[in-house]
Amino acid sequence: MSQDVISQAHDDQRAQNIACIRQYVDARTPEQRGRRWELYVDDCTSGAVAGVPLKGKEIARKCTEWNLVYFPNYVFNDNIIFQSTDPDYYCVMSKGTGGINFPAYGGERQYDNVYFHLIRMQGGRMKEYFEYSNLLGMYVALGLEIPHLDGPPGWPEHTPEEVAYDPYPKPQYSDPAHPDVIPAGDEALRAKNIACIRQYVDARTYDERNRRWDLYVDGGECTSGAAGLPVCMGKDKARQCTEWNMVYFPDYVFNNNVIFQTQDPNLFMVMSDGTGGIYYPAYGERKTYENRYFHTFRMRDGKIVHYYEYSNAKLLFDVLGVKMNAIQVPAGWPGEV
């Protein structure tokens, strides 16, 4: 059995931790949102994309108060709690929606984005919390120009159906009343799916990376995509994307891969630290590109049906030297943004 399959040895510990996490991500009212800081331990760290981890519960309180002012009515929907084999380590995927009110941009605007909340727990309280998203979504919401990126040719053209497709996962819970309980009895299927996922994210050699497309189900049913772009449908396009990546992201690999899972034995997330070469001819010689990735996988009998790769795409502009205006963040955030 795969070492990545969750055992039933820590059910009570998981239940206690998840109850706290649910209070955080499912908060709706201003009162509920305003008490999030109380869910941390005293010597916690917290932070969000484009910032640095901030230490201490008092700082967490100030961040909570700042968010209530500048992200009014902001909530997280369709929250999926992904669990690791460590009963204190979780990643929650969310659709964030609500207002963003940065005074420099003329009042409140609608802001939607996909979030990944990486959480390490301690005794039913949050020890470490960091929130990842694609910062380009905030640029769009604030009306800031995103420069044209001169990408290499060869990526497949997108159809209207692909543009309209929402890659956000749709869990198929066996016990919808208790969606965060991972049952016993499906370990063999999980192990088979995880073996395929490991082939994908742990690929190191040229041949291993070049065969990723063959891990998808046959035909036109599968989808793949990355970095805020529309999906590509079908195994033929998955092969085209693989071949394109081999040229323009030479020797790019995913390190420190952590597999997270849900009650649905066919739905997984992998968090990775990606590193390696990026070569976009319009921007000169090969450069080293690093980013944090969240890969979502919908599996079927050990093959990939749906795959999407989330990251902060602004870092791609940064490494290529494409200048973007800095976001004018309101005063009062207790850390560096």
Side-chain angles (χ1 to χ4, degrees):
M1 191 63 63
S2 169
Q3 64 180 1
D4 296 308
V5 175
I6 290 176
S7 75
Q8 308 300 306
H10 307 284
D11 287 355
D12 291 343
Q13 184 178 350
R14 290 183 185 276
Q16 182 184 36
N17 286 333
I18 289 170
C20 175
I21 291 170
R22 279 287 175 196
Q23 287 186 66
Y24 192 100
V25 296
D26 291 345
R28 288 293 177 271
T29 68
E31 181 180 8
Q32 291 170 339
R33 295 173 60 225
R35 297 181 71 87
R36 280 178 169 148
W37 66 275
E38 296 181 359
L39 301 174
Y40 290 88
V41 298
D42 289 340
D43 60 342
C44 64
T45 62
S46 58
V49 66
V52 296
L54 306 170
K55 296 184 181 297
K57 192 171 183 176
E58 180 62 17
I59 295 293
R61 180 183 66 80
K62 292 179 180 179
C63 292
T64 298
E65 293 170 350
W66 186 92
N67 273 289
L68 288 173
V69 175
Y70 297 112
F71 289 86
N73 307 309
Y74 208 85
V75 296
F76 300 118
N77 295 322
D78 299 332
N79 298 306
I80 307 171
I81 296 183
F82 287 86
Q83 306 179 44
S84 74
T85 55
D86 181 345
D88 286 325
Y89 198 33
Y90 300 82
C91 189
V92 184
M93 187 175 183
S94 303
K95 284 185 173 179
T97 187
I100 181 172
N101 186 13
F102 282 16
Y105 303 98
E108 184 176 333
R109 296 164 178 259
Q110 179 64 30
Y111 175 42
D112 299 294
N113 212 334
V114 174
Y115 290 84
F116 297 87
H117 316 259
L118 194 62
I119 307 170
R120 188 169 293 282
M121 303 296 292
Q122 183 181 82
R125 286 290 183 265
M126 293 164 61
K127 171 69 173 176
E128 300 171 8
Y129 171 88
F130 205 85
E131 181 185 288
Y132 295 88
S133 62
N134 185 352
L135 200 56
L136 295 187
M138 187 176 289
Y139 274 77
V140 171
L142 295 173
L144 288 168
E145 180 183 0
I146 298 176
H148 171 72
L149 197 63
D150 192 0
W155 192 264
E157 294 292 327
H158 297 298
T159 67
E161 184 183 8
E162 290 170 335
V163 172
Y165 184 89
D166 182 2
Y168 197 89
K170 300 171 182 63
Q172 297 172 6
Y173 296 124
S174 57
D175 183 5
H178 306 94
D180 302 318
V181 176
I182 295 181
D186 57 16
E187 290 86 356
L189 176 58
R190 289 180 186 274
K192 186 174 185 178
N193 287 333
I194 288 170
C196 174
I197 291 169
R198 279 287 179 195
Q199 286 186 66
Y200 192 104
V201 296
D202 289 346
R204 287 293 179 273
T205 68
Y206 180 93
D207 287 342
E208 289 170 343
R209 295 173 59 230
N210 198 37
R211 296 291 296 177
R212 281 180 170 143
W213 65 272
D214 204 24
L215 299 174
Y216 290 84
V217 295
D218 292 332
E221 178 185 4
C222 65
T223 63
S224 57
L229 295 174
V231 300
C232 295
M233 293 183 170
K235 193 169 184 176
D236 287 344
K237 283 192 174 182
R239 181 171 188 167
Q240 285 181 257
C241 293
T242 298
E243 292 170 348
W244 187 93
N245 273 290
M246 297 302 295
V247 176
Y248 299 111
F249 287 83
D251 59 64
Y252 207 85
V253 296
F254 299 118
N255 299 317
N256 306 318
N257 297 309
V258 180
I259 293 181
F260 294 88
Q261 53 200 287
T262 70
Q263 185 182 95
D264 183 343
N266 292 307
L267 180 61
F268 298 83
M269 177 196 296
V270 181
M271 183 189 72
S272 303
D273 295 319
T275 186
I278 180 173
Y279 172 56
Y280 279 22
Y283 302 99
E285 297 299 318
R286 172 196 181 278
K287 299 173 175 63
T288 298
Y289 173 49
E290 297 180 349
N291 210 331
R292 174 152 283 187
Y293 295 86
F294 296 88
H295 317 257
T296 59
F297 292 88
R298 159 67 58 189
M299 306 296 294
R300 181 190 298 147
D301 196 30
K303 289 285 189 178
I304 302 168
V305 183
H306 302 300
Y307 168 82
Y308 204 83
E309 178 188 291
Y310 294 85
S311 63
N312 179 10
K314 182 181 180 296
L315 298 184
L316 187 63
F317 289 75
D318 293 343
V319 76
L320 293 174
V322 179
K323 183 69 175 176
M324 298 182 69
N325 292 326
I327 294 175
Q328 297 182 48
V329 177
W333 183 262
E336 178 185 341
V337 178

